[in-house]
Amino acid sequence: MANIVGGYIMPHDPLLFVNPQKKERDHLLAVYSRICDKVRASGATKAIIFGADHYILFGPRCLPQFLIATGELHGPIDRLPGVANAPIASDPDFANYLVNHAHGSGFDVSVARDLGVDHAIGVPAQLALPTDGSVQTVPVYMASGVEPYVRLQRAYEFGQMVRDAVGGMPGDERVVLIGSGGISHWVGTGEMGRINPEFDKKVLDAIVSGDPSTLLSMTDEEIMRDGGNGGMEIRHYLAVMGALPAGQGEVLTYEAWSGGVTGLGFAEILPA
């Protein structure tokens, strides 16, 4: 029987790679490699990455609540030093299985037959997964970057649906989940550059506890106030938590890095 062997939370802040202020960052980049080693050690064969479009793929005319890519993948298509726009191993059969299961579970997901992904998917796929193609990726884009946002509860329920889908698969696939993004940051607003470690700690404490209630009780107004519009990406974390209920979390690294505009949080969630 297929099963979920672990989950990870990680940032995708482009400034970590552009590094315009030339700040020390090697210790942060090393965490992606550390996670990659963990994924390899887990024997994972598939990865589902939850991310948000940044007006790079869909634009204002097409804003799907959920989108699953079912064909060939490459990215990130936005240029980031040290992160090549390269092919990403995919599994159309697994992706289509998830689409069909989602449709049968009341999630009317959109589909992309092939996709050049942005940094939300491309950064974790290229840096936190083995580059030998041994772990095949399914990207899931959620409406957490641009209004109208997916409701927090719905994001958590999507993770529950993914858990059911994986549990019903034949074979012995081993699946890892990645929630990409966050934590606190303000994008394109007058507060851009602000980081709120208190909000970030609240989010990471919820992940460590395995209890999503703190995150689910937040309103979008509270998230916008305390975590910025970029904080809306906690929906991706909730999807991972929904798929790993009561999973034991561990913060791998957190830093309000002065070279960027984002509270950079890395965490691992192990199955209960």
Side-chain angles (χ1 to χ4, degrees):
M1 183 180 72
N3 63 96
I4 298 172
V5 296
Y8 298 93
I9 304 301
M10 64 189 68
H12 54 234
D13 182 1
L15 289 179
L16 183 58
F17 307 98
V18 177
N19 196 14
Q21 300 182 54
K22 308 303 180 187
K23 298 286 187 176
E24 172 55 41
R25 59 174 181 170
D26 288 352
H27 61 296
L28 295 168
L29 296 176
V31 187
Y32 291 104
S33 296
R34 181 181 172 192
I35 291 173
C36 186
D37 290 342
K38 287 175 173 286
V39 170
R40 189 180 289 108
S42 74
T45 58
K46 310 291 183 196
I48 301 173
I49 305 178
F50 302 99
D53 179 44
H54 299 83
Y55 265 147
I56 295 173
L57 302 182
F58 308 132
R61 293 189 178 89
C62 178
L63 297 171
Q65 290 283 286
F66 296 97
L67 181 140
I68 296 177
T70 61
E72 293 184 356
L73 304 170
H74 67 93
I77 60 174
D78 38 340
R79 293 184 178 181
L80 296 177
V83 188
N85 179 356
I88 297 169
S90 62
D91 183 346
D93 289 340
F94 179 44
N96 279 304
Y97 170 79
L98 287 178
V99 168
N100 290 331
H101 190 91
H103 286 169
S105 303
F107 287 90
D108 296 324
V109 301
S110 300
V111 168
R113 296 299 182 196
D114 63 83
L115 196 63
V117 299
D118 77 341
H119 58 277
I121 303 295
V123 164
Q126 299 292 4
L127 299 185
L129 298 178
T131 57
D132 59 5
S134 59
V135 179
Q136 297 166 315
T137 296
V138 175
V140 177
Y141 275 99
M142 290 186 174
S144 53
V146 181
E147 292 184 280
Y149 301 112
V150 170
R151 295 186 181 277
L152 295 170
Q153 182 66 40
R154 197 64 170 155
Y156 184 76
E157 291 168 355
F158 193 92
Q160 292 176 315
M161 180 276 294
V162 167
R163 178 181 177 86
D164 290 343
V166 171
M169 287 176 61
D172 56 357
E173 301 289 357
R174 297 172 65 81
V175 182
V176 293
L177 308 175
I178 295 176
S180 173
I183 309 174
S184 65
H185 58 297
W186 283 256
V187 181
T189 75
E191 293 184 90
M192 189 165 181
R194 176 189 171 197
I195 297 172
N196 185 355
E198 292 182 1
F199 175 84
D200 298 342
K201 183 179 186 302
K202 185 176 182 179
V203 171
L204 291 172
D205 285 349
I207 291 170
V208 169
S209 73
D211 182 355
S213 59
T214 298
L215 304 185
L216 291 172
S217 66
M218 293 180 181
T219 66
D220 284 349
E221 290 76 19
E222 290 170 338
I223 297 171
M224 191 73 74
R225 180 193 68 207
D226 298 333
N229 51 358
M232 297 296 180
E233 292 175 333
I234 65 170
R235 286 156 168 80
H236 312 153
Y237 307 171
L238 280 166
V240 176
M241 295 177 76
L244 290 167
Q248 181 66 44
E250 178 188 358
V251 176
L252 302 176
T253 290
Y254 171 77
E255 186 170 335
W257 187 56
S258 61
V261 296
T262 305
L264 303 177
F266 298 80
E268 179 178 15
I269 304 175
L270 296 175

